[in-house]
Amino acid sequence: MVIYGGSDDVALVLDDGPNPKVTPKILELLDNKGVKANFFLIGKKTEESPDLARQIANAGHEIGNHSYTHKRLGRMLQDEGKEAVLDEIHKSAKAIKSITDINALFFRPPYLDWSEAVGELARPLYGDRIIMAGTKSGDYSWGIDHIWDESDMESIKAQASRIIADWVNASPGTIIGLHDSAEYNLPGNAFYENWMNRALPTLEALPTVIDNFHQNGFAFKKLSEMDLMPIPLITQ
């Protein structure tokens, strides 16, 4: 069983951090709006920015496990075997615990790459607390032909508008999947010199997204506070 949503209010999920360039700005925004979010941290990035990971924890946000180096677990299982997948999950959980003193209750697979075989490995560790909410905003998209640049506000605002449009009519229980960082610059992943800029459209869109839900009577909750609804695995 995995989680695609709940039956009450909404949850804001931010993947791939911490990002020393954008995450502090998102934390400031969330604090100003009185919103608690759910940060699914990459273990290696947590080790690279320990003070920022602790800042997320100290602000009272939910922290989840998003693997150690953001590899596709289904592919890793096929190519490297069960121990490699388990190491990717365990190593991240250990990094998060040692730095933030938090045992991550929830796991979110990189790329939402999932299968029954991967589920059999993760289920003993996380039970039904595996978060699979579909991310449809496109804030994860990063084409080689376009790298976000802080000076390119026209493109940033256009992408932010798409994010807003995708979430404007969300229903109760929605898990809003966004990103405050990127998997780039990790071992085995593509390298982009300005990878930290990928979350700039998300930062631009967040105030409107949050205000829209508040205006429609929704509260933002941590996943541990929501009435989540486990459903059978969608296999690949």
Side-chain angles (χ1 to χ4, degrees), residues 137-157:
S137 71
D139 80 324
Y140 55 85
S141 63
W142 185 311
I144 293 176
D145 59 338
H146 182 82
I147 307 300
W148 300 114
D149 186 284
E150 285 178 295
S151 65
D152 187 8
M153 284 306 300
E154 183 176 345
S155 292
I156 289 172
K157 288 182 178 180

Side-chain angles (χ1 to χ4, degrees), residues 67 69-74 76 80 88 109-111 113 186-189:
S67 83
T69 56
H70 205 277
K71 300 293 195 308
R72 293 183 181 274
L73 299 184
M76 175 178 279
E80 303 178 45
E88 185 77 2
Y111 304 102
D113 180 27
L186 285 167
N189 288 275

Side-chain angles (χ1 to χ4, degrees), residues 21-51:
K21 186 171 186 177
V22 179
T23 304
K25 297 177 182 178
I26 289 179
L27 287 172
E28 182 179 5
L29 169 64
L30 294 173
D31 182 57
N32 290 337
K33 296 288 187 181
V35 168
K36 297 303 181 187
N38 304 271
F39 288 81
F40 278 82
L41 304 184
I42 294 175
K44 185 165 178 56
K45 291 197 177 299
T46 300
E47 292 174 343
E48 292 171 352
S49 300
D51 289 342

Side-chain angles (χ1 to χ4, degrees), residues 79-97:
D79 296 344
E80 303 178 45
K82 295 180 180 179
E83 290 304 316
V85 173
L86 288 171
D87 186 61
E88 185 77 2
I89 297 172
H90 279 302
K91 198 171 181 180
S92 180
K94 183 178 179 180
I96 291 169
K97 171 63 176 177

Side-chain angles (χ1 to χ4, degrees), residues 160-217:
S161 294
R162 287 191 287 271
I163 294 171
I164 293 165
D166 282 328
W167 295 115
V168 71
N169 294 315
S171 59
T174 294
I175 295 176
I176 305 168
L178 295 170
H179 297 75
D180 65 326
S181 193
E183 76 277 10
Y184 306 113
N185 206 35
L186 285 167
N189 288 275
F191 174 80
Y192 288 103
E193 187 174 351
N194 59 346
W195 61 268
M196 287 190 290
N197 288 352
R198 188 180 74 169
L200 291 175
T202 301
L203 178 62
E204 178 73 17
L206 266 180
T208 303
V209 171
I210 291 171
D211 289 345
N212 177 74
F213 281 104
H214 280 163
Q215 290 164 8
N216 284 281

